[in-house]
Structure formats: C-alpha cells, structure tokens
Amino acid sequence: MIISRLFSLEQWKSWLWSIVRFTLIAGLSFVILFPIFQKISTSIKDKSDLYSAVVVWVPQNFSFDNFREAIRVMDYWATLFNTFALSATTTILTTLSCALAGYGFARLKFKGSNLLFAGVILTILVPPTTILIPVYLNLKSFDLMGLMSLLAGKPVNLLNTYWPFILTALTANSLKAGLYIFIFRQFFRGIPKEVEEAAYVDGAGISRTFARIMLPNAIPSIVTVLLFSFVWQWNDSFYTTTYLTSSKVMSTQLSSLPYNLAQQVSDGASKADPFYLSMIQDTGILLAILPLIIIYLFVQRYFVESVERTGIVG
Amino acid sequence: MKALLRGKWGRRTYAQQKAAWGVIYVLPWLIGFVLFFFVPLLASLRYSLSSIQANAEGITIQFTGLANYIQALTVNTSFNRALIESITDVLVNVPLIVIFSLFLAVILNQKFPGRAIARSIFFLPVILASGVIMSLESTSLIEAVNQSSTGGSALGTFALENLMLDAGLSEWVVTYLSGAVDRIYQIVSQSGVQILIFLAGIQTISPQLYEASKMEGATGYEAFWKITFPMVSPLIFVNVIYTIVDSFANNAMTTLIRDTGFVKFDFGLSSAMAWVYFVAIALILVLVSLIFSKRVFYQD
C-alpha cells in the first residue's frame, strides 16, 4: 500500500513540482535580497578591504567608518526626523481624506458623482509631469483665488515648505491619491448594505455610521493605504526634489549624495577614490531604506494578511 | 393618502440627506482636484501653446500656436528618441511583468513551508522600488564590479540562448526571453503591487469550484486555465493598466520634460512635450482597453 503510493505518478509529480517551486522561490528571493545583503556587506567593510582579493562578503577589517561618514554627509539624524515627520503627516492626512472620498463615492451617491469619479480615474492616468509646471508656478505664488492677497497683501511662496504636501494630502490629491481613493471605494462597496441600514435603524447618523461602523471594518484597506502612502512618500523623489530643493529629506539627500560626497570626502589635495565614494554611497542608500525595512519587519505580517481582505478586487 | 405622502417625502429627504453628505465627503477631494489637478491641467495646455517669459512681475504668456509642438517633434534632438524608447520599454516590459506576477501569485497562494516568509520577501520591492535608489544603484561602482567579477548573467543567458535556439524557437522569442532574464531584477522589483492584486483576487475565488473540478478529474494545469485564469481576467486588465501607468510615471521621458522645464526654463516647450507624452499614453491605454474589453470574463 505504502509502496504503491510511493511510486504512483501523482506523488512523483507533486514532489517534482515542490522542488521546482522551491528553486524558483529561493532563486527569486535571492535576486530581491542580493542588493540589500551586498550593501550591508559593503557598508561594514574597511577602506583597506576594498582592493583585497580575499574579501568577497565578509570583510577582513570591520569598521563603521562608512556609516560615520555617510551619516555626516547626509546629515542623517536631522534628515531622518524631517522625512519621518513629512511622511507621517501626509500619510495620516491622505488616508483620512481618501477614506472620506472613497466612502462618498461608494455609498453616498449624488448627482454627478459618477462623473466626478471619472475625475479620480483621470488623476491616476495623467502623468504627474504633465501638470508639474502649472502646479509649481501656482505654489510659487500661492493665491487661492485672491484670498491670500487679501489676507497677506501678496501671494505667498509655498515652495521649500511642507505646505504643498500638507495641502495636497488634506485634499486627497497627493502622490498616488487616486489609487487610494479607488482602493477605499472598492472596499466600501463590498460591505453589505444591511450593516449600514442596521446602524441607521438604530438611530446613527451618516457621519456616525461612517466613524463607528465603516471605518473599524475598513482596517485592512486602511493598513494597506497607510503603508503604501508612507513608503511612497518616503521614497518619492519626484515631488520632493521639485518642491523641497533646500530642505533636508531623505530622497533629496540621496539624489544629491554623489555630488555631496565628491565635495566633502577628499583626502586633502588629491581627489577621492571613486570606489571609496561608491562605498559610502551604498552605505547612504542602506541608511535611507533601513527605517523602511525595520517598519516593514514589524507590520509585514499584518500587511500581507490584510491585503488579502482589502477588496482591491471588489 | 397623508401617510403615503409623508412616506414618500420622508424617503426622499433620506436620499437627499445621503446625497448632501456625499457632497460633503467628496468635497475635500473636489477642492484639491480643481486646485491641484484640473486648473493646472488646463494651464499646462495653455502653456504648451504659448511662449513664456519670466520677469520681475512674474510671467508673461504669449500665444504662439503649435510652435512648441513643432519644436518638440522636429527640432529637439532627444525628444523623439526618448518618447519612442519609453514607449517600447513599456510595451516590452508590461506583458512580462503581468505574466510573471500572475505566475508568482498562483505559486504564493499554494501551501508550502515558508510561505509567509516568501510572501514578505516578494512584497519587499513595493517598499524599496524607488526612483532615487534605482538610479543610484545603476551608477554604483561597487555593484558593477561585483557583477562583472561574478561574471554571471551575460554568460548564463548566452548558454540559455543557444539552448533555446537549438530547440527550434524563433530568434525573436529567444532574444525577448533572454532579455527578460537579464532584466529579472527590474521585473521582480516592478511587480510587487501586481502580485498583491492577483493574490487578493485568487483568494476570492470560491474553493468549491476547485473541489468540483478535482472531482471531475481536472489536473492542476487545467484548473488554472479553466478556473483561475478566467476568474482573475478582470484583474489582468487592472494590472496591465496599472503597470502601464506606473512605468510611464518615471522614465527617460519624464526626466527630459523636467529638465526642459526646470533646468532650461522653457516652460512652453516642456508643457508641449508633456502633452504629446500624455496623448501617447492615452492612446495606448485606449487601445489596450479596447483589446481587453472583448476578452475579459466578468462573473456577473
């Protein structure tokens, strides 16, 4: 009995598939993790290991000099604080405003709401580059239809402040906000009508139903949007390098890192070794993504589970 | 009669109330949409048809018709090349990314030891894929040296290419596939969100369908093509659109548009480029939706 099962074709096929699957997953995981491991290995190497033929992964001389240097050049702690503050603020505001809009589009239909939702889709489809210049000029002399001129005497310049990010997040028009509205709308459409009606019968108003019944139910999609929005804001170089040229946030610091390194790291008269610069640059990248990886380690379980119930699918 | 009237009236106020709240809920977005999207969109169209001079009082805009468009398409040396490159890049990558992510989602949905770890590794690119990091990576000397010293990819695909050519595949297919192998990191790192969407979709398929097909003697292969594939086909459409939009958001073309605007300060030309680019993307999206709308299977 056992032997016959052992030799059955089905069994062999399933074993073969397990092996193939394992190889595939292991291989692809390696492809994903390889650059991270490589950066870690590079970052703890001493300068002298750079040309040593013996050293491939594990350095001969451990040193934290690269970290020290990268932290100094990037002004890491201040940058970290700025980036965190910016990402956290926009994330919370974006999630709130997008949840409101998503619920409005899903459940509180009014005349023209479908047309407006087409507008949401349009914001997803139009590349941000197309509207970059007018938005830039608009923010440079922000006037809000003459209101600012009335209050302050002249239009205010919002560039190099966090206001562009706060304002767009508050009005659900920040980075990829259209996608978040779409996710929320799909999710709220999936909640049975009876839940809502039961709340109304019990005397809850619309806003109360939303806050007490709908939002707690929407936690999976909220987690998804929170994580996406935080991470994409953190990594965003498109808006930050345009609006925040002189402010120190992670992505602007990263994109100017090669230049700053070449300027600041040189041993006296001679030009710095490009390989050494590259080493510090890799350390800098590692430092920039490290907080994200740490956060992800904590939330990934919740995230992976929640996504399955997000209802992106509808 | 009175009760009926009241009832009707009451229902209407309820609906009206809901509609009023709907407007309130959507209002923040609407304000943002008008301020930060719609007005700028129209302004950008206007800029693209004008020549713009910045001076002490701000900017002066002078209508010049299609001059900017003509300059972008015929005079500017890099525009056409960047445009065609970006479009071919997307057309080449999109099928690979979508097929790859569907395949991986199916695999990650199966039960095997270490599934949770595998999932969190495959979603890692969602966290890490970013413009700056990617572009710095490509300039990293250490990375380049390590790659050449391990000597892997080029040699590996070379052997693979010969193998496939011997097997009688056409040369076009072979170069496409071996190119895919060389770009595997790029493809993996761009398919995080798509894997998520597919995985979520596969999990909504009712297990009874698979049980029934198993009873009828269907193999896993048949179950995939007869159940999983048709059930996720709307999501294939969603993912194709998402991938196209995503890969168009950041590439050589957007860099060129930005440089023209913010380095050379030619706002008019930059807007014209952006509009040509947008129209090209819109055309591709319309074409893709037309192709897909006939083939997608909807449950209801």
Side-chain angles (χ1 to χ4, degrees):
Chain A
M1 183 64 189
I2 295 170
I3 291 173
S4 76
R5 261 179 63 192
L6 202 67
F7 285 102
S8 78
L9 195 65
E10 278 302 302
Q11 202 62 35
W12 277 108
K13 254 164 77 181
S14 90
W15 280 344
L16 188 68
W17 174 236
S18 298
I19 294 168
V20 170
R21 183 174 56 198
F22 177 78
T23 324
L24 251 177
I25 289 179
L28 289 172
S29 302
F30 177 75
V31 168
I32 294 171
L33 294 176
F34 181 74
I36 301 173
F37 287 151
Q38 195 168 51
K39 282 197 188 62
I40 295 174
S41 149
T42 308
S43 66
I44 53 173
K45 264 178 208 163
D46 190 70
K47 209 174 167 180
S48 61
D49 281 2
L50 207 57
Y51 295 106
S52 160
V54 194
V55 178
V56 180
W57 282 99
V58 183
Q60 225 164 12
N61 308 301
F62 284 99
S63 106
F64 287 108
D65 280 351
N66 289 328
F67 281 105
R68 223 164 287 142
E69 203 69 343
I71 285 173
R72 184 179 66 82
V73 174
M74 288 173 78
D75 196 2
Y76 185 67
W77 301 115
T79 307
L80 185 70
F81 176 77
N82 288 345
T83 319
F84 198 86
L86 177 66
S87 300
T89 320
T90 55
T91 298
I92 292 167
L93 292 177
T94 302
T95 311
L96 264 174
S97 58
C98 289
L100 283 178
Y103 188 66
F105 282 123
R107 278 301 169 76
L108 307 168
K109 299 270 176 170
F110 52 90
K111 231 182 197 168
S113 77
N114 281 333
L115 187 73
L116 288 184
F117 191 69
V120 175
I121 301 293
L122 195 66
T123 61
I124 302 177
L125 298 184
V126 173
T129 342
T130 309
I131 56 167
L132 187 65
I133 289 171
V135 173
Y136 179 85
L137 293 177
N138 184 8
L139 290 168
K140 197 173 174 187
S141 50
F142 190 71
D143 210 355
L144 210 72
M145 293 151 197
L147 202 69
M148 284 295 166
S149 307
L150 272 179
L151 290 175
K154 59 176 174 27
V156 264
N157 183 358
L158 292 184
L159 293 173
N160 277 321
T161 65
Y162 289 160
W163 282 108
F165 298 94
I166 295 172
L167 287 176
T168 50
L170 204 61
T171 55
N173 265 272
S174 50
L175 184 70
K176 300 209 184 194
L179 183 68
Y180 309 142
I181 296 178
F182 186 74
I183 290 177
F184 274 124
R185 175 172 171 267
Q186 290 298 84
F187 183 83
F188 284 125
R189 273 173 68 182
I191 293 181
K193 274 222 153 56
E194 289 77 26
V195 177
E196 197 182 47
E197 267 150 23
Y200 290 153
V201 170
D202 286 345
I206 285 164
S207 54
R208 193 151 153 189
T209 313
F210 175 69
R212 293 283 173 82
I213 311 281
M214 291 301 172
L215 277 188
N217 269 314
I219 283 176
S221 47
I222 293 175
V223 172
T224 314
V225 170
L226 280 176
L227 192 75
F228 276 176
S229 144
F230 188 83
V231 160
W232 283 336
Q233 178 62 53
W234 185 287
N235 284 334
D236 166 59
S237 59
F238 188 81
Y239 289 109
T240 36
T241 48
T242 315
Y243 300 158
L244 276 177
T245 37
S246 65
S247 205
K248 284 183 174 170
V249 293
M250 214 54 99
S251 50
T252 54
Q253 286 293 56
L254 262 190
S255 57
S256 55
L257 185 61
Y259 175 77
N260 287 348
L261 276 175
Q263 289 281 302
Q264 296 188 24
V265 184
S266 48
D267 359 346
S270 67
K271 274 194 89 174
D273 177 2
F275 278 96
Y276 178 58
L277 291 185
S278 181
M279 198 164 155
I280 299 176
Q281 185 181 312
D282 276 10
T283 314
I285 297 176
L286 184 70
L287 279 171
I289 57 178
L290 207 58
L292 290 181
I293 295 178
I294 293 170
I295 294 172
Y296 183 64
L297 284 181
F298 282 110
V299 300
Q300 57 81 15
R301 204 196 168 79
Y302 197 62
F303 174 63
V304 171
E305 280 168 12
S306 76
V307 159
E308 291 164 5
R309 298 181 283 129
T310 308
I312 298 174
V313 189
Chain B
M1 184 65 200
K2 214 175 173 186
L4 200 90
L5 238 169
R6 199 164 51 217
K8 211 173 165 188
W9 214 76
R11 222 176 15 253
R12 201 153 70 202
T13 41
Y14 169 62
Q16 275 174 346
Q17 211 182 18
K18 256 187 133 171
W21 276 103
V23 175
I24 293 171
Y25 274 48
V26 173
L27 199 62
W29 169 80
L30 188 61
I31 294 171
F33 177 75
V34 172
L35 267 182
F36 299 110
F37 184 82
F38 197 65
V39 171
L41 192 67
L42 293 181
S44 137
L45 187 60
R46 183 166 156 237
Y47 290 173
S48 76
L49 296 168
S50 326
S51 112
I52 295 161
Q53 238 80 53
N55 52 29
E57 293 103 65
I59 51 167
T60 47
I61 302 168
Q62 206 162 36
F63 183 77
T64 55
L66 291 174
N68 285 320
Y69 289 90
I70 293 164
Q71 202 195 346
L73 289 167
T74 59
V75 181
N76 196 286
T77 43
S78 35
F79 179 74
N80 286 329
R81 193 172 42 80
L83 182 66
I84 291 167
E85 259 173 29
S86 330
I87 291 173
T88 36
D89 253 15
V90 170
L91 292 183
V92 166
N93 277 342
V94 165
L96 284 175
I97 291 172
V98 172
I99 293 168
F100 176 80
S101 52
L102 177 59
F103 179 64
L104 268 180
V106 170
I107 287 184
L108 288 175
N109 192 44
Q110 295 175 342
K111 283 203 171 65
F112 58 88
R115 180 171 81 160
I117 300 169
R119 280 188 185 181
S120 41
I121 291 176
F122 278 96
F123 299 148
L124 205 57
V126 179
I127 313 286
L128 302 183
S130 119
V132 210
I133 296 172
M134 287 294 213
S135 65
L136 283 185
E137 211 112 276
S138 59
T139 59
S140 168
L141 273 169
I142 302 253
E143 207 101 315
V145 168
N146 276 335
Q147 236 146 50
S148 65
S149 68
T150 44
S153 77
L155 197 69
T157 44
F158 184 65
L160 194 73
E161 252 171 67
N162 281 341
L163 199 77
M164 288 196 289
L165 281 173
D166 284 346
L169 282 170
S170 83
E171 207 176 312
W172 185 83
V173 178
V174 172
T175 37
Y176 183 68
L177 286 179
S178 63
V181 174
D182 285 338
R183 287 198 309 268
I184 188 73
Y185 181 72
Q186 198 198 342
I187 290 168
V188 176
S189 59
Q190 282 182 12
S191 30
V193 175
Q194 289 85 334
I195 295 176
L196 278 181
I197 293 176
F198 275 135
L199 200 57
I202 290 171
Q203 263 149 6
T204 59
I205 302 174
S206 114
Q208 280 101 323
L209 279 178
Y210 288 106
E211 268 169 40
S213 74
K214 216 173 178 181
M215 303 264 267
E216 306 273 342
T219 60
Y221 181 77
E222 283 166 334
F224 173 78
W225 284 109
K226 296 275 158 64
I227 300 173
T228 315
F229 191 74
M231 295 295 266
V232 296
S233 64
L235 295 182
I236 295 179
F237 178 55
V238 170
N239 269 339
V240 167
I241 299 288
Y242 177 81
T243 315
I244 293 175
V245 170
D246 194 45
S247 20
F248 272 131
N250 226 332
N251 56 24
M253 196 62 228
T254 57
T255 319
L256 178 68
I257 293 171
R258 274 184 67 149
D259 283 352
T260 313
F262 292 101
V263 179
K264 296 186 188 143
F265 288 103
D266 196 341
F267 287 158
L269 181 61
S270 172
S271 300
M273 284 176 171
W275 270 85
V276 173
Y277 186 51
F278 169 48
V279 170
I281 297 171
L283 279 179
I284 291 173
L285 289 174
V286 167
L287 217 69
V288 168
S289 344
L290 279 179
I291 294 169
F292 268 87
S293 60
K294 293 203 174 128
R295 289 180 174 76
V296 169
F297 168 82
Y298 286 103
Q299 209 173 3
D300 35 43

